[in-house]
């Protein structure tokens, strides 16, 4: 059977289970006696094992099986969870994640078997315990059957038949276990009569067994012939047979009550599982996994609809027909609703990214020998799927930066009057049409003098340029190959972290700010647009050219008298707005056009915001607000930092979308 058609589904489900394992094991490390958590982890491992077996990923299946054994022992009270066991379990999850990465890349799990890790998991259970179990089995070697089967065995021997018991093991790659077991039953019944099976036939038909089952058969044929017949069936790994004598069996008398209790428990367990399945069905019936490419196609179609709507609106102004205008207004409402609906479908919580960090920070604390706590908030904040997928690497850099550069050694913190354990906060929240993500630590803060010294060493700053503001000095940290670390480690010192962060954030149409206080800590603030596809923009003109400025970046629009513009140091122009100094820039100068401003008494000023910083942009004329579709500039023009993209207007002309972050630089 070709299982490749299910590969995508397996990958998505496996990612969910691995994430669940990570999350629950972090909780278990804090509460090692929590049986509910152990059960949750066991269920995830068991499900993952079954999925891997179905897909034919044997190595992954063996590893989860060994993990499952340890968890089962912990659940039954035979093993107590400690830090050493947790380390092995975490390594197991890492190995499973590596298998999954290879599967995503190649479609196969590779040849690496991780036998050492399997042995580590098996070693947790201990050899002496296994020997005790074996000796117990030898001491109670008698086979247990109910009275009906024992009478059948006695009758068989009285009539000259032989009785054999076969323990049959299926290949772990077997896809249809019940079908394979049916073939075994059918083949054996041609040579004799099956009088007992464990698990029962109904459970085998329902595939409620692992890869092993046993049958007891009455036959006149020799044992080896029956064994060969069983092994002739494909996907049968082993068939161990013994002859059953009347003296080797005993009635399950003393075990009957226990058996009934187990049966009741089993029934209740099935009830719980069924209820959980039903509950799961009710939940999943309201959600559908959709390939992101299909959503992209849908978004593109909505984008084209918005473009043609804008074009039709242009025609409506010419005809001045009331019914025509009403139809256009109705079309606009539908288009807006459709746009909102598609956007909501594309929105996913940042929890998709945040959920991977607790485990990473746990390992990081051990590696660095530091003590700190990661506190996350706002995980349910939603943002466009395409942005979420790109957020991982920048946040990893910032969190590592906080742990390595920010948080001090425990002894140093105590010496400075701080708690021994540091605090790193990761939070997300909506701010208008932006999502804000903050990474904050209560560490030592950025040493401005050290940054300045490094800048001078690298030739980025001259001795006579030391009048730079604190923010301008901090900006050096975002330059390629700039690092304040004196020694290169596995985590830092190469100067690639913050440079990568800034580049990625700006590619996503966002910006990053730094706030720091020496001895108190540092906060990195990332601002990102909610979406990269369709935005509301203000259309403005300079000379005969039209430009678009995203509405989300505009604080307000004002008319400023020419005499109200003041010139300060170094020829910079400013205005005073409600006792706040706002620098002024001219759009025609920014885009390289000539304009005659001397004849004007008043200027139209669009005040754009970059975080808390405001800048006034002087434009010729306002054309109004409009939904625009962002189109990429392509590789040839992607280096123009002033422009974040382009849009097609209703009349078919192209307008450049200005990047507010660059306007306020």
């Amino acid at each position: 059977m070709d299982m490749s058609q299910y590969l995508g589904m397996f990958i998505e489900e496996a990612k969910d289970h691995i994430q669940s394992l990570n999350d629950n094991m972090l909780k278990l490390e804090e509460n090692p006696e929590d049986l509910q958590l152990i059960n949750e982890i066991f269920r995830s491992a068991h499900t993952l094992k079954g999925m891997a077996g179905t897909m034919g990923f044997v190595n992954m299946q063996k590893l989860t099986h060994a993990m499952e054994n340890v968890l089962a022992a912990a659940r039954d009270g035979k093993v107590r969870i400690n830090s050493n066991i947790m380390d092995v379990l975490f390594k197991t999850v890492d190995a499973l994640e590596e298998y999954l990465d290879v599967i995503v890349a190649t479609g196969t799990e590779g040849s690496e078997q991780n036998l050492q890790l399997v042995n580590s998991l098996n070693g947790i259970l201990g050899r002496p315990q296994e020997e005790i179990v074996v000796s117990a089995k030898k001491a109670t070697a008698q086979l247990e059957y109910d009275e009906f089967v024992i009478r059948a065995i006695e009758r068989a021997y009285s009539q000259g038949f032989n009785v054999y018991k076969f323990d049959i093991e299926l290949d772990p790659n077997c896809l249809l276990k019940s079908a394979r077991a049916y073939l075994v039953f059918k083949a054996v019944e041609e040579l004799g009569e099956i009088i007992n099976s464990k698990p029962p036939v109904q459970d085998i038909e329902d595939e409620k067994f692992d890869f092993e089952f046993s049958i007891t058969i009455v036959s006149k044929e020799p044992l080896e012939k029956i064994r060969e017949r069983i092994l002739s069936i494909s996907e049968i790994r082993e068939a161990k047979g013994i002859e059953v004598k009347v003296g080797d069996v005993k009635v399950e008398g003393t075990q009957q009550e226990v058996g009934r209790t187990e049966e009741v428990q089993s029934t209740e367990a099935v009830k719980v599982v069924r209820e959980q399945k039903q509950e799961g069905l009710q939940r999943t019936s309201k959600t559908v996994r959709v390939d992101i490419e299909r959503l992209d196609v849908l978004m593109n179609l909505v984008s084209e609809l918005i473009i043609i709507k804008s074009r039709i609106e242009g025609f409506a102004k010419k005809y001045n027909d009331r019914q025509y205008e009403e139809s256009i207004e109705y079309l606009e409402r539908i288009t807006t609703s459709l746009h909102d609906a598609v956007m909501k479908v594309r929105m996913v919580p940042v929890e998709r990214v945040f959920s991977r960090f607790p485990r990473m920070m746990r390992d990081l604390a051990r590696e660095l020998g530091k003590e700190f706590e990661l506190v996350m908030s706002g995980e349910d904040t939603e943002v466009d799927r395409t942005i979420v997928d790109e957020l991982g690497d920048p946040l990893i850099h910032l969190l590592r930066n906080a742990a390595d550069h920010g948080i001090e050694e425990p002894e140093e913190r105590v010496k400075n009057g701080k708690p021994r354990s540091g605090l790193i906060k990761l939070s997300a929240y909506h701010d208008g049409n932006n999502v804000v993500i903050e990474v904050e630590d209560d560490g030592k803060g950025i040493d401005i003098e050290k940054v300045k010294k490094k800048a001078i060493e690298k030739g980025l700053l001259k001795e006579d340029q030391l009048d730079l503001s604190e923010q301008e000095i901090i900006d050096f940290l975002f330059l390629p190959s700039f690092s304040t670390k004196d020694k290169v480690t596995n985590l830092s010192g190469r100067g690639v972290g913050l440079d990568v962060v800034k580049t990625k954030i700006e590619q996503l149409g966002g910006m990053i700010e730094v706030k720091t206080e020496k001895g108190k800590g540092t906060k990195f603030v990332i601002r990102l647009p909610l979406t990269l596809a369709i935005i509301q923009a203000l259309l403005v003109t300079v000379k005969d050219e039209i430009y678009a400025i995203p509405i989300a970046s505009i604080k307000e629009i004002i008319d400023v008298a020419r005499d109200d513009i003041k010139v300060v140091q170094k020829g910079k122009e400013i205005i005073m707005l409600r006792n706040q100094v706002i620098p002024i820039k001219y759009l025609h100068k920014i885009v390289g056009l000539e304009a005659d401003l001397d004849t004007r008494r008043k200027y139209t000023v669009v005040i754009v915001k970059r975080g808390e910083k405001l800048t006034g942009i002087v434009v010729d004329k306002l054309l109004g607000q409009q939904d625009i579709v962002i189109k990429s500039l392509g590789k040839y023009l992607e280096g123009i930092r002033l422009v974040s993209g382009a849009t097609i207007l209703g009349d078919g002309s192209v307008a450049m979308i200005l990047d507010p972050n660059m306007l306020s630089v």
Side-chain angles (χ1 to χ4, degrees):
M1 183 186 292
D2 180 17
M3 301 300 292
S4 60
Q5 58 182 317
Y6 304 113
L7 186 61
M9 189 184 301
F10 168 80
I11 290 170
E12 288 296 324
E13 294 287 344
K15 283 180 181 177
D16 290 343
H17 285 296
I18 288 174
Q19 187 58 58
S20 175
L21 287 171
N22 264 320
D23 293 344
N24 286 321
M25 287 196 325
L26 285 169
K27 295 175 186 175
L28 183 63
E29 193 170 36
E30 296 177 3
N31 303 288
E33 303 295 329
D34 193 329
L35 280 178
Q36 188 175 350
L37 279 174
I38 294 173
N39 281 326
E40 284 290 332
I41 298 168
F42 179 88
R43 279 193 287 270
S44 291
H46 181 73
T47 305
L48 196 54
K49 181 187 80 172
M51 289 165 51
T54 301
M55 294 298 297
F57 299 135
V58 182
N59 296 332
M60 205 172 182
Q61 182 187 20
K62 285 181 180 176
L63 194 56
T64 44
H65 183 66
M67 181 184 186
E68 191 182 44
N69 289 339
V70 173
L71 294 166
R75 186 179 61 180
D76 297 339
K78 296 176 182 176
V79 169
R80 293 194 69 178
I81 298 294
N82 56 38
S83 59
N84 292 331
I85 291 177
M86 288 306 305
D87 285 342
V88 176
L89 290 175
F90 275 123
K91 286 178 183 176
T92 303
V93 176
D94 288 342
L96 292 172
E97 202 160 5
E98 287 171 11
Y99 277 136
L100 190 60
D101 289 341
V102 175
I103 291 169
V104 171
T106 66
T108 65
E109 63 178 347
S111 57
E112 179 64 40
Q113 294 187 13
N114 275 306
L115 291 178
Q116 187 174 357
L117 196 51
V118 171
N119 289 335
S120 297
L121 289 164
N122 291 336
I124 291 172
L125 301 176
R127 295 297 301 173
Q129 191 176 16
E130 288 183 6
E131 291 171 2
I132 291 169
V133 172
V134 171
S135 62
K137 281 185 177 178
K138 287 179 180 176
T140 59
Q142 283 186 308
L143 301 173
E144 294 183 352
Y145 293 103
D146 62 31
E147 292 182 6
F148 173 80
V149 175
I150 291 175
R151 283 198 296 270
I153 292 171
E154 291 171 348
R155 189 164 57 251
Y157 274 107
S158 67
Q159 296 176 2
F161 286 87
N162 299 316
V163 181
Y164 308 116
K165 179 177 181 289
F166 286 94
D167 294 321
I168 300 163
E169 182 182 352
L170 301 178
D171 192 291
N173 293 325
C174 181
L175 300 179
L176 300 172
K177 296 185 292 184
S178 61
R180 200 58 56 191
Y182 168 76
L183 292 177
V184 171
F185 276 60
K186 188 175 180 182
V188 169
E189 284 174 345
E190 293 176 1
L191 301 174
E193 181 184 353
I194 297 173
I195 59 173
N196 183 260
S197 74
K198 289 186 178 179
V201 175
Q202 187 61 49
D203 285 355
I204 292 176
E205 287 179 357
D206 295 341
E207 289 201 1
K208 292 179 181 177
F209 69 106
D210 205 351
F211 288 89
E212 298 177 358
F213 63 94
S214 65
I215 55 174
T216 304
I217 178 175
V218 173
S219 174
K220 285 192 174 182
E221 301 291 344
L223 182 146
E224 196 56 37
K225 182 177 179 180
I226 299 173
R227 180 174 180 274
E228 288 177 2
R229 185 64 180 273
I230 295 172
L231 291 174
S232 68
I233 300 169
S234 62
E235 297 188 308
I236 301 297
R237 172 177 280 191
E238 185 57 90
K240 296 177 182 177
I242 59 169
E243 187 173 359
V244 180
K245 299 292 187 181
V246 175
D248 295 337
V249 299
K250 71 172 185 176
V251 181
E252 298 174 325
T254 55
Q255 301 292 327
Q256 282 179 354
E257 286 299 316
V258 176
R260 277 200 291 269
T261 303
E262 289 175 349
E263 185 178 346
V264 171
Q265 290 175 343
S266 174
T267 305
E268 289 175 353
V270 171
K271 182 181 178 183
V272 171
V273 169
R274 281 177 180 166
E275 285 175 354
Q276 289 174 344
K277 284 184 176 178
Q278 187 64 33
E279 186 180 327
L281 284 172
Q282 289 173 355
R283 282 199 302 268
T284 55
S285 64
K286 295 180 182 178
T287 59
V288 179
R289 289 185 185 273
V290 180
D291 194 310
I292 188 64
E293 291 182 2
R294 296 188 180 185
L295 292 179
D296 287 340
V297 170
L298 184 58
M299 179 58 77
N300 287 334
L301 291 173
V302 173
S303 302
E304 294 300 323
L305 185 60
I306 288 174
I307 291 171
I308 197 65
K309 180 208 73 173
S310 300
R311 191 169 185 181
I312 294 173
E313 283 177 344
F315 294 150
K317 293 175 183 176
K318 294 181 182 179
Y319 296 115
N320 195 23
D321 184 287
R322 183 59 190 161
Q323 287 186 338
Y324 193 62
E325 288 179 3
E326 287 177 356
S327 299
I328 295 300
E329 288 173 3
Y330 182 59
L331 175 62
E332 184 171 6
R333 286 198 298 273
I334 293 174
T335 308
T336 303
S337 299
L338 183 59
H339 166 224
D340 291 342
V342 174
M343 287 309 308
K344 285 176 182 176
V345 170
R346 290 176 60 93
M347 302 293 270
V348 293
V350 292
E351 183 185 13
R352 285 174 61 100
V353 182
F354 282 19
S355 58
R356 72 175 80 163
F357 297 138
R359 168 68 198 285
M360 181 192 82
M361 298 302 281
R362 169 207 180 261
D363 295 343
L364 201 54
R366 292 194 169 203
E367 185 179 342
L368 294 170
K370 295 183 178 181
E371 296 178 20
F372 54 79
E373 181 185 3
L374 175 66
V375 176
M376 301 192 302
S377 61
E379 297 100 311
D380 56 348
T381 303
E382 292 188 331
V383 69
D384 192 286
R385 165 76 182 266
T386 53
I387 293 178
V388 164
D389 291 343
E390 299 293 332
L391 268 179
D393 287 344
L395 291 181
I396 286 173
H397 281 299
L398 292 179
L399 288 168
R400 285 179 174 234
N401 190 72
D404 194 22
H405 289 272
I407 301 295
E408 311 95 327
E409 299 290 340
E411 293 75 17
E412 184 182 345
R413 290 181 63 86
V414 172
K415 184 179 176 182
N416 293 332
K418 291 183 176 181
R420 181 180 178 85
S421 178
L423 180 65
I424 298 175
K425 293 180 181 178
L426 175 62
S427 57
Y429 58 89
H430 285 136
D431 181 18
N433 285 333
N434 289 310
V435 62
V436 180
I437 298 175
E438 297 178 350
V439 178
E440 182 179 6
D441 67 73
D442 68 344
K444 55 192 173 187
I446 296 173
D447 189 335
I448 302 296
E449 290 303 317
K450 190 173 184 179
V451 175
K452 194 184 294 183
K453 184 181 175 183
K454 281 285 183 181
I456 293 171
E457 285 178 11
K458 290 180 172 289
L460 301 170
L461 191 63
K462 295 180 181 178
E463 295 286 352
D464 58 351
Q465 293 180 317
L466 301 182
D467 60 340
L468 294 178
S469 68
E470 186 176 286
Q471 190 60 50
E472 288 173 320
I473 294 171
I474 290 174
D475 286 342
F476 283 121
L477 294 172
F478 292 99
L479 294 177
S481 74
F482 192 97
S483 176
T484 56
K485 273 276 185 177
D486 298 317
K487 185 179 178 182
V488 175
T489 67
N490 290 334
L491 288 175
S492 59
R494 295 180 175 82
V496 295
L498 293 181
D499 171 40
V500 170
V501 171
K502 186 176 182 183
T503 302
K504 176 60 72 175
I505 295 303
E506 288 181 352
Q507 284 175 355
L508 294 172
M511 55 165 287
I512 183 167
E513 296 176 87
V514 184
K515 300 175 182 178
T516 187
E517 187 177 349
K518 192 171 181 180
K520 299 287 186 179
T522 304
K523 181 193 288 187
F524 288 86
V525 182
I526 297 172
R527 293 181 182 274
L528 291 163
L530 286 176
T531 177
L532 299 179
I534 301 171
I535 62 170
Q536 287 190 322
L538 175 69
L539 299 181
V540 301
T541 62
V542 176
K543 297 285 281 187
D544 297 326
E545 294 189 9
I546 300 175
Y547 293 91
I549 303 174
I551 289 288
S553 302
I554 298 175
K555 187 174 188 298
E556 60 183 298
I557 301 167
I558 58 173
D559 286 331
V560 177
R562 184 175 169 182
D563 295 338
D564 290 338
I565 298 177
K566 308 298 181 184
V567 179
V568 292
Q569 59 178 349
K570 298 181 182 179
K572 292 182 178 178
E573 294 181 290
I574 62 140
I575 60 170
M576 293 294 294
L577 180 65
R578 293 186 286 275
N579 296 322
Q580 186 176 3
V581 176
I582 299 176
I584 290 291
K585 294 186 177 182
Y586 297 90
L587 187 55
H588 72 275
K589 291 181 181 179
I590 295 173
V591 298
L593 295 173
E594 292 184 3
D596 184 14
L597 300 176
D598 296 336
T599 59
R600 301 185 195 175
R601 293 183 179 179
K602 282 191 175 183
Y603 297 145
T604 301
V605 179
V606 179
I607 298 178
V608 296
K609 55 185 178 180
R610 182 190 180 198
E612 296 177 1
K613 183 179 178 181
L614 301 179
T615 304
I617 307 298
V618 177
V619 301
D620 285 356
K621 192 166 60 174
L622 306 177
L623 295 183
Q625 180 178 324
Q626 186 173 310
D627 287 341
I628 62 170
V629 179
I630 302 175
K631 299 289 185 181
S632 172
L633 294 174
K635 291 186 178 180
Y636 185 71
L637 297 174
E638 66 182 359
I640 303 175
R641 302 185 69 184
L642 175 64
V643 178
S644 60
T647 187
I648 301 172
L649 301 177
D651 60 1
S653 61
V654 175
M656 294 293 132
I657 303 169
L658 299 174
D659 185 350
N661 296 326
M662 295 298 106
L663 289 175
S664 55
V665 171

